Every structure is written in structure tokens, then in C-alpha cells.
Amino acid sequence: MTRYAHNYSRIAAALLALTAACGSGRPAPTSSKFGVRMQDPAELNTENGLIAVSLGDACLSLSSAPTSTDPVTGITYTTTTWTDPATGITYTQKTWTDPATGIAYTQTTWTDPLTGIAYTQTTSTDPLTGIPSTTTTATDPLTGTTTTSTATPVVTAPATIDPNACGFLNGMPPNLLGINGLHPNSLTDDHFKHWFAADPQTANTLMKYLVKCSLPVGLGLDFDYGGITYTWTGLLGMAPHWAAGEAIPEDEQQLVTACMGLHANRYGAHVPLSVLGQFADGTPIPISDDELSSFPVTEGCFFGNMFRKDGVFSGNDRPLALADDQSSIRACAMPDRTGAGESSMCPPVQYAGNCRDLCQPDPTNLYYLTCTVNGQTYRALSTRIQPSAEYTCGDGICQVTESCGTGSTWNDCGLDCGPCN
């Protein structure tokens, strides 16, 4: 089935085009043999999409917060900690549900570094009415006096969390991995709301591709935040159990991870691609002869498990290595060509090597079923691309993959981009 990798935004594409093409300087059109034409950002789709950095296995890992179960009461507690970068205050939050009453509790504790006053804020939500009530206690370390208030909560949501910080509230909330699954009920959970509020733009992008990979055509999720309704539609359907509101099995975890990885793009560009592989039940992803002929270039394999923080891996399946004057706008399945080693061209996606050395092909030899890295075997997905996704220095266009210079190689392409100032 044909899928698309999209660009981050028109502005981002323009900046990437200028930076990639010109480095720290500007091209000099009069020095170009063909005449410099910068790749028009309008040639790249303007719809927000998944760039590789959105797949950080630390900040956007699909992992649960630490839990503990009281052996006497049977209550399971979830504990999370984060620091507000504006105030330097560290918060510890514990959530649990009383099995006898069904009342859900959230308890947040913190200490004001200026006064030393220790606060405890407890919110309980009645399952019958859905109405929360909040009580805040403050203990003065000098007098030992404790005061109690039912005023407006001091901590309502960690929306001020640094979106670049790696913490629980900047990662996928555990309710999406628990009994609710990837289900509309998941989006009503406070954990999800807090996570989304921390960085709505990145969260929206991640959810778009998470739903696209996990849910089938005809299913989707809607979420209202800040007066905006976000709509995420399903397409590939790699996680039927998760979509049904169940915990996601490991084989579905791996396929969703592979799907997210193959949609990553170093340059944030919109590039048509063909996705091949099998669903968790062994059924092949439908593909026609027309699609195979339209996407004749085998590109890469993608695998891993973000859910377990194993990371996302890629492999190279190109029939021929790119020449020095060639570059690909689909670079995530390639080793680093800058001489820095074998790391991926779009971290945190990790380049693992050649697919044929790492993976087990299907009987038809069209795609790979599994790939093994670090002693762990994962379900995999494969990609095919069109020849137009690869560029050549000297074609008269300064592509986003090319750099200015005085030579004729992809990273020193004076022919197309001119010399660097």
C-alpha cells in the first residue's frame, strides 16, 4: 500500500533547504554552470509530518511510569517526577484508584525552594459524578504548622514542562499502553491531557502517525485541546488489539515501531513510498503489480521496539550504493555519509547495517519478515521508493540534500548550489 512521509512545515522546509544547500553561506548564482535554482519548498508537502527527532526513544518513548502495588490493599500506585524549568521546583505525583470505592486519586507533592514550605495536593474524582475535589496542605518548616485549603489548585497541569526535557510527562502516557489501549477512552485520561499540553505540536504529529500506523482505514481518534479539534485517522492497521482497547501485544509493538520509523525523514520532506511486510497475524500487506512497478527501487528495512525503549533501527536495502554525486531525500535507511561512522543519517533512528545481512526475507523475496540486532529479533517492514527520490549534483537544482562548495559531490555541490560565502 502506498504511504507518504510528510514534511514538518513550510517554514521548516525552507530553513532546511537553505541550511542544507548553503551551509553557513549563500550560493553565488553566477558561479554555477547550470544556474542555481534552489529547491522550492512548495515542492515539499506543507502538511505537518513526522521528522526523525520526533522518534526520540527517551523523550517520546512509549513507556510506562514506575508502578508499585501494596500487598495489603492490592492498590497499584503510579509515581512520576518532573521539574518545572521556570521555577526549578521538582514535583512528585502519585496516582491510584481505591478498588473498594472506585474513587481515583492524584497526589502531588513539592517544596517551595524559597520558603521551604512543603505542599501536598490531593485530588479525588468520584466515578459516579466525575466531579473532582482538591485539597492542598502546606507545612511551614520553621513552625511545623500545617494549613489546609480547598482553594484553586496550585498545580493544575504540567504545561510549563520543558518540551525538550526527557521525563514521563513528555513521553507517551501509560494509559495508552494499559487496558484502555489506543481507544477514545484513552484520550480522556489526565495523563494524556498533561502529556499533550506539554508540547501540543509535537504530540499532534506523533499521534497522527501513531494512529495512522496502528488503526485501520475507517477508524480514527478526535481530541479537543485549546479550542482546536485534532483528528487522527487510521490507515495501516498494524495494531488491531490495541485499536480494540486492549493492551498491545509485543508483535504489534514492533510493527508499529517499524511503521513509525519508516515514516521518519531526515529532511522533513513529503516523499511517496511503498510499504511491504506482514501484519501480526501473518497476512501480507496488500500490494499490486502496478505499485511494485511504480516503486522499483528497494530502499530499506525498519524494526525495533519503542514501547520497550529498545529504540528504532533501519537497514539499507538499496541495490547499489549512492555515488559521490548522488544523494537521497530518503536518508534514514543509510549509514552516515559524512565520515562520522556508521550511525544513521537521521538520529535517533539507528542504522544497523545491510538488510540482507540482518534480516530474514519472505518466501517471495519481496520484503523482510524479521530483522535481528543486538541479539534481539524484531518484526520488520520494508520500503520501496521511486527513482525521483534520489538526486544528482549537476542537475541544475540545489536540492535540500546538497551543500554549497566548489566541487561536484553531494556535500560539496558547487555545480548546483554555488560556492559558500
Side-chain angles (χ1 to χ4, degrees):
M1 302 179 72
T2 304
R3 302 292 174 256
Y4 293 89
H6 303 283
N7 83 317
Y8 192 71
S9 68
R10 181 183 295 272
I11 295 176
L15 292 174
L16 282 169
L18 292 172
T19 302
C22 306
S24 59
R26 295 176 178 272
T30 56
S31 299
S32 173
K33 177 180 177 181
F34 295 92
V36 173
R37 181 172 83 81
M38 300 298 294
Q39 186 173 29
D40 186 353
E43 298 173 20
L44 308 179
N45 186 282
T46 60
E47 181 181 359
N48 284 343
L50 189 64
I51 56 174
V53 71
S54 297
L55 288 174
D57 62 353
C59 292
L60 288 174
S61 62
L62 310 182
S63 59
S64 299
T67 61
S68 61
T69 301
D70 189 319
V72 177
T73 64
I75 297 176
T76 297
Y77 298 89
T78 300
T79 304
T80 59
T81 301
W82 73 93
T83 299
D84 187 329
T87 64
I89 297 176
T90 297
Y91 297 89
T92 298
Q93 187 175 85
K94 180 183 291 186
T95 60
W96 71 94
T97 300
D98 188 324
T101 63
I103 297 176
Y105 293 89
T106 299
Q107 185 179 80
T108 307
T109 59
W110 71 97
T111 300
D112 188 321
L114 298 179
T115 64
I117 296 176
Y119 293 90
T120 299
Q121 177 182 289
T122 304
T123 300
S124 59
T125 303
D126 189 316
L128 298 179
T129 64
I131 299 175
S133 61
T134 300
T135 301
T136 302
T137 63
T139 302
D140 191 320
L142 299 179
T143 64
T145 303
T146 298
T147 58
T148 301
S149 172
T150 57
T152 302
V154 177
V155 182
T156 55
T160 58
I161 294 176
D162 181 357
N164 296 315
C166 300
F168 160 71
L169 289 167
N170 211 39
M172 186 63 66
N175 66 290
L176 284 181
L177 303 181
I179 59 174
N180 288 337
L182 193 62
H183 192 268
N185 292 342
S186 303
L187 309 188
T188 63
D189 187 276
D190 284 342
H191 287 122
F192 182 86
K193 296 175 183 177
H194 292 175
W195 169 75
F196 194 91
D199 185 358
Q201 184 176 6
T202 298
N204 174 49
T205 297
L206 182 68
M207 287 301 299
K208 173 184 174 180
Y209 281 90
L210 190 65
V211 173
K212 178 180 181 179
C213 289
S214 303
L215 272 57
V217 173
L219 293 182
L221 296 176
D222 294 329
F223 180 66
D224 294 323
Y225 174 76
I228 300 174
T229 298
Y230 295 89
T231 300
W232 306 305
T233 56
L235 190 61
L236 267 170
M238 287 292 170
H241 287 87
W242 209 22
E246 304 171 7
I248 181 169
E250 187 165 356
D251 53 358
E252 292 182 14
Q253 294 176 22
Q254 295 174 5
L255 288 173
V256 170
T257 296
C259 181
M260 298 285 281
L262 66 85
H263 278 97
N265 188 286
R266 171 181 174 86
Y267 303 99
H270 170 101
V271 185
L273 60 113
S274 176
V275 180
L276 298 86
Q278 294 184 356
F279 297 104
D281 64 2
T283 304
I285 298 174
I287 186 169
S288 66
D289 291 340
D290 286 343
E291 183 171 338
L292 289 176
S293 61
S294 297
F295 295 84
V297 182
T298 58
E299 183 210 24
C301 50
F302 295 83
F303 51 97
N305 195 334
M306 293 187 300
F307 294 77
R308 296 185 181 276
K309 288 193 174 181
D310 292 357
V312 188
F313 301 92
S314 68
N316 189 354
D317 198 35
R318 285 175 171 79
L320 296 173
L322 296 181
D324 289 342
D325 62 347
Q326 294 179 312
S327 56
S328 173
I329 202 167
R330 285 279 303 172
C332 291
M334 295 172 56
D336 192 328
R337 301 180 73 203
T338 64
E342 289 297 302
S343 61
S344 171
M345 288 286 283
C346 51
V349 177
Q350 303 172 61
Y351 178 76
N354 292 321
C355 299
R356 60 181 177 273
D357 299 327
L358 303 166
C359 308
Q360 176 66 38
D362 84 298
T364 66
N365 211 33
L366 272 178
Y367 51 84
Y368 297 98
L369 298 172
T370 62
C371 298
T372 301
V373 66
N374 299 329
Q376 177 68 44
T377 299
Y378 302 95
R379 300 290 296 267
L381 295 175
S382 302
T383 53
R384 296 167 69 99
I385 58 175
Q386 297 171 329
S388 57
E390 296 179 349
Y391 305 136
T392 301
C393 178
D395 62 8
I397 303 172
C398 186
Q399 311 285 2
V400 296
T401 59
E402 298 173 340
S403 301
C404 58
T406 58
S408 59
T409 62
W410 69 278
N411 59 347
D412 182 25
C413 187
L415 292 176
D416 293 342
C417 301
C420 302
N421 293 336

